[in-house]
Amino acid sequence: MHAGPVTPAPLVEPRPAGWRDELVALSRLAGPLVAANLLQMAVSAVDVIFVGRLGTLELAAATMGVFLFTLPLYGVIGLTSAAAPLIAAELGQRAHAVREVRRSARMALWVGAAASLLVMTILANGERLLLLADQDPRVAERAGHFLDILLWAVLPGVAAGVLRTVAAALGRAGWALIVTALALALSILVNWLLVFGNAGFPRLGLEGSAIASVVSTTGMVLAYVLIFFADRRLRRYRLFGRWWRPEWSRAREIVRLGVPIMLTWLFEGALFGGAAILMGLIGVTEVAAHAVALNVAAVAFQVPFGVAQAATIRVGLAFGAGDHAWVARAGRTALVLGIGFMGVSAVAMWLAPRLFISAYIDVDAAQNAAVVPLAMQYLAVAAVFQLVDGAQAVAAGVLRGVQDTRVPMLVALFGYWVVGFGTAAVLGFATTLAGTGIWIGLAAGLLVVSVLLLWRWSARVRLGLLVPRPG
């Protein structure tokens, strides 16, 4: 029996006639993704807010545990995000690519599940890992108990990431915003109930926060499953039909494209983790100022990151259609939108740094007197940082749309770690710039990555990047 209808209505936008049409289509796709990214940051912040009231030991344990959890989780989500350019190319080539879309989604879930089991095994040894890293034994023990529960959020977290990617690639990005908002509400509720034992629930403290994360991620994946059954347009794809059937060639394609994406995300995440360690070698005040400035930059970064996610889909549609003019128009529109926004945010940071800092700390409090001027110095560098960070994010996104991920990964490794971390270490410790030097190093690494990726995009025809891959 055929697992899906023969002729569902197309789920993709018609081919845009000009850059205005492309801008509208890109914005319609990117807007919900940007908002969902911002809400996802809020979901992470909720745990910190609740656990922070439990005491220094619990907060330190949660911080260590969340770091060990988050980095590999987002790495696996990066691995499975390879489904986006594959699905987009399939729809660009043929709007009724029902079986092909289902194959990509199914194998992304399979690959994600296999990788999740590996991550869960690693997290089950969280206490040992932290002790090997010479962390305080008390912190390591509490973080280990925290991770024993939190690791169960990996599998639903990855599955939710895959379903969000598939929904966006099928033109239904708005669901990502709704589901993430529901996850935020659920996280707040369960943290309130279990961390402090409200409304008759047991007071579970740190472990209660871990349970809240498991509940919220599980809620997300269940919501997406319901959406794929309830949404009339998405239901036509019968995404979960024959879910047990392997498609090894498609799984290999996801791994081929996804492993470089995963490593690129890990290289970047590790760079900022390494920068925090360098700051810690300078002083506690520098760490605090760095955290404030980095949070400001991270919020602004969600816009080009969302644009990059949308650009992968838009460029992927054009790539699948074999329309080189559309590829160029989709890529150029995304780059202008992403870099343009970061230009505005850079000017805002330059003109009103205290305003941004005040969102995180009391700038008039005596205890913050040393932190505020340092954070302002770092934000001055972040103004430049914003432009190149947005450029490299969107450039990587448009290159993923033409299924180019391996060379961008090598560019990221060189730019982030050879140029970025190397410059940060030299300027931070061999000059009087100290923490500001570390931020200059980060900006230098991102500048190199953005320049090289933009050049690669501009040379896409000469490099043969628009030639469809066999698969």
Side-chain angles (χ1 to χ4, degrees):
M1 183 177 176
H2 188 51
V6 178
T7 57
L11 298 190
V12 296
E13 299 284 342
R15 195 170 302 188
W19 71 267
R20 287 185 180 85
D21 293 333
E22 181 60 45
L23 179 61
V24 170
L26 176 68
S27 300
R28 186 180 296 132
L29 188 57
L33 295 177
V34 169
N37 291 340
L38 290 169
L39 284 178
Q40 190 61 54
M41 291 186 68
V43 172
S44 301
V46 163
D47 296 331
V48 176
I49 291 170
F50 278 94
V51 172
R53 299 182 181 182
L54 296 174
T56 303
L57 176 62
E58 304 294 274
L59 180 58
T63 300
M64 292 295 180
V66 168
F67 175 75
L68 286 180
F69 168 81
T70 302
L71 195 60
L73 173 67
Y74 282 106
V76 177
I77 291 175
L79 168 66
T80 60
S81 71
L86 289 173
I87 290 174
E90 288 155 357
L91 292 173
Q93 185 176 13
R94 190 163 61 91
H96 305 303
V98 176
R99 293 179 179 177
E100 291 78 4
V101 168
R102 190 164 54 235
R103 288 170 61 204
S104 293
R106 181 165 71 245
M107 287 300 98
L109 287 168
W110 277 46
V111 169
S116 295
L117 293 176
L118 176 60
V119 170
M120 292 171 70
T121 302
I122 294 170
L123 295 181
N125 295 281
E127 182 178 355
R128 293 188 184 92
L129 292 174
L130 291 172
L131 289 174
L132 287 173
D134 200 28
Q135 297 299 307
D136 184 295
R138 296 175 304 158
V139 173
E141 181 184 9
R142 292 299 293 127
H145 293 312
F146 178 67
L147 285 169
D148 286 343
I149 300 172
L150 189 60
L151 64 84
W152 296 102
V154 173
L155 193 56
V158 170
V162 172
L163 296 178
R164 165 183 156 144
T165 295
V166 175
L170 295 176
R172 305 294 272 176
W175 286 119
L177 174 58
I178 294 172
V179 171
T180 311
L182 291 173
L184 175 59
L186 191 58
S187 178
I188 293 171
L189 174 62
V190 180
N191 268 288
W192 183 77
L193 291 174
L194 297 182
V195 172
F196 300 111
N198 288 307
F201 281 79
R203 179 187 173 94
L204 300 179
L206 185 61
E207 284 75 8
S209 181
I211 293 173
S213 295
V214 176
V215 170
S216 64
T217 52
T218 302
M220 288 179 73
V221 74
L222 291 176
Y224 275 120
V225 170
L226 290 174
I227 286 165
F228 272 92
F229 280 110
D231 186 303
R232 189 176 65 176
R233 295 176 68 191
L234 298 181
R235 187 170 62 236
R236 293 187 176 105
Y237 278 79
R238 296 191 182 178
L239 191 66
F240 304 106
R242 298 181 182 176
W243 61 267
W244 62 87
R245 181 177 177 178
E247 298 280 357
W248 299 120
S249 62
R250 186 53 50 91
R252 285 192 294 271
E253 275 293 285
I254 288 171
V255 171
R256 180 183 70 82
L257 292 175
V259 167
I261 298 173
M262 175 181 70
L263 291 176
T264 298
W265 288 14
L266 291 177
F267 292 155
E268 186 171 11
L271 171 66
F272 289 102
I277 292 172
L278 292 180
M279 285 289 185
L281 297 176
I282 297 176
V284 175
T285 303
E286 284 76 8
V287 172
H290 173 74
V292 171
L294 193 59
N295 270 279
V296 173
V299 170
F301 177 73
Q302 299 312 308
V303 175
F305 185 51
V307 171
Q309 292 171 314
T312 296
I313 297 168
R314 295 300 303 171
V315 172
L317 289 168
F319 177 70
D323 188 332
H324 292 192
W326 184 10
V327 168
R329 187 164 55 247
R332 184 168 56 248
T333 302
L335 287 166
V336 169
L337 182 61
I339 298 173
F341 173 84
M342 292 307 259
V344 173
S345 70
V347 171
M349 284 183 192
W350 185 270
L351 294 177
R354 287 178 67 89
L355 178 63
F356 289 97
I357 295 169
S358 66
Y360 295 90
I361 59 174
D362 184 351
V363 295
D364 297 318
Q367 65 265 28
N368 295 326
V371 174
V372 172
L374 275 177
M376 290 179 67
Q377 289 179 32
Y378 300 163
L379 278 183
V381 181
V384 178
F385 177 104
Q386 292 291 290
L387 285 172
V388 294
D389 201 15
Q392 65 88 24
V394 181
V398 296
L399 286 169
R400 286 171 197 143
V402 296
Q403 302 181 17
D404 180 41
T405 60
R406 188 178 65 85
V407 171
M409 173 199 69
L410 297 175
V411 167
L413 176 61
F414 171 74
Y416 295 153
W417 281 94
V418 177
V419 178
F421 192 79
T423 304
V426 170
L427 294 182
F429 297 95
T431 73
T432 59
L433 291 170
T436 302
I438 292 174
W439 269 80
I440 292 173
L442 294 176
L446 291 168
L447 174 63
V448 169
V449 173
S450 65
V451 169
L452 292 176
L453 293 184
L454 288 171
W455 173 83
R456 187 165 178 81
W457 172 253
S458 68
R460 61 191 175 277
V461 176
R462 187 165 70 253
L463 296 174
L465 301 184
L466 301 187
V467 178
R469 280 72 165 169

